[in-house]
């Protein structure tokens, strides 16, 4: 299979983790006989530095011509504490979501038993946790009308949703529930917000078309608590943009590291794959970031290409590294491996280049030295 992949490495740890995902995709291409071509483009702070724009036109063109997009992260501390900045790195990400109509953001959460001790949640509550968040990505308060009054004493963000916007993501979420545990939870604030009442109405109607799926409705404040006290009750979570942002980050803490969680953003044109972590500037350039979120995002891309066996192999490789304690610093601050080493190991496993002798002793040299 031949595929063109646009790569937007972005800022901070983005380039380091994305490089590991590319190593893994190359191992897939070599082993299974595919041809993946990469076009590298700019977005975020690096794009602002180079072109003055967070999302240059050239990047949009390349993405539109590609079969999929592999994205790292955007963000730079020099913009974070300055509310007066006009062009921000994050605008690039918001703009690409809008331009490509990437309306459905899918964030799956799996628990790795070997990492259960790192979770802030007790181990018995974690057993059997397997959920996926369907977050609406191109509407709501993120994209509604925004305004700051002339005197600077008043600011407004508007939350807006249309039936069509709710409808298209709801069908994707219901279809996924049908091939999972057949449960869907709509998270909203329907006792307070008009938009949430519209979500409930539309989802209630759509639910009649999926009689095999059990539907639950939950207010977002309760959901925030339920994810901690009883996370295994969730299968597919469906929610609007802002609630989805917050809930998916909360859920990602359950497995012990934000660095492990991948995501896919799909629309009608092409799809974008990115780890859910941010640009983590403190770790940039140190070869210590966890590349697994990016590598698992590449696995989601393979599934999107209908290369399911290849995707399964990548996930197996990730589990193999975690089970054998080949982990980055976020997982084990003392005995950790570098980002690049982990990428090579996972790529080698995918390409069947790992022999039985590979263990902690004989790759000790590629391991970190703690000072
Ligand atoms: C995410 C991020 C983005 C969002 C930011 C960087 C704009 O937090 O993808 O979760 O809020 O959607
Ligand atoms: Mg977020």
């Amino acid at each position: 299979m031949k595929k063109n992949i646009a790569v937007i490495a972005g800022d901070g740890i983005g380039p380091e983790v994305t490089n590991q995902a590319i190593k893994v995709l190359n191992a897939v291409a070599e082993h299974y006989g595919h041809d993946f071509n990469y076009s590298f483009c700019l977005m975020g702070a690096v794009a602002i530095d180079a072109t003055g724009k967070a999302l240059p036109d050239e990047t949009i063109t390349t993405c539109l011509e590609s079969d999929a997009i592999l994205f790292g992260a955007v963000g730079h501390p020099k913009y974070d504490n300055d509310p007066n900045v006009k062009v921000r790195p994050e605008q690039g990400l918001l703009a690409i979501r809008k331009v490509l109509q990437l309306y459905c953001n899918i964030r799956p959460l799996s628990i790795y038993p070997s990492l259960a001790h790192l979770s802030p949640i007790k181990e018995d509550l974690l057993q059997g946790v397997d959920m996926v968040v369907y977050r609406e990505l191109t509407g709501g308060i993120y994209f509604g009308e925004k305004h700051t009054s002339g005197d600077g004493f008043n600011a407004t963000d508007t939350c807006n949703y249309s039936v069509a916007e709710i409808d298209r993501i709801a069908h994707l979420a219901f279809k996924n529930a049908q091939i999972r545990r057949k449960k869907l939870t709509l998270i909203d604030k329907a006792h307070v917000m008009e938009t949430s009442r519209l979500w409930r109405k539309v989802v209630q109607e759509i639910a009649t078309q999926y009689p095999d799926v059990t539907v639950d409705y939950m207010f977002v404040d309760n959901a925030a608590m339920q994810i901690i006290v009883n996370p295994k009750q969730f299968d597919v979570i469906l929610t609007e943009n802002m609630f989805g942002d917050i809930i998916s980050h909360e859920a990602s803490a359950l497995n012990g590291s934000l660095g492990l969680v991948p995501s896919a953003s799909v629309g009608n044109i092409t799809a974008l794959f990115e780890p859910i972590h941010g640009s983590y500037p403190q770790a940039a350039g140190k070869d210590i970031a966890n590349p697994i979120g990016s590598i698992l995002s590449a696995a989601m891309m393979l599934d999107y290409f209908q290369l399911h066996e290849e995707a399964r192999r990548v996930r197996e490789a990730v589990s193999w590294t975690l089970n054998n304690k080949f982990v980055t610093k976020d997982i084990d601050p003392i005995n950790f491996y570098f980002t690049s080493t982990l990428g090579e190991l996972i790529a080698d496993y995918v390409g069947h280049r790992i022999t039985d002798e590979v263990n902690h002793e004989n790759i000790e040299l590629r391991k970190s030295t703690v000072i």
Side-chain angles (χ1 to χ4, degrees), residues 90 93-94 97 107 135 142 245 249 274:
E90 292 78 7
L93 182 56
L94 296 174
R97 288 174 179 169
R107 298 184 163 183
R135 167 191 176 194
Y142 272 61
D245 179 38
H249 281 253
E274 60 165 312

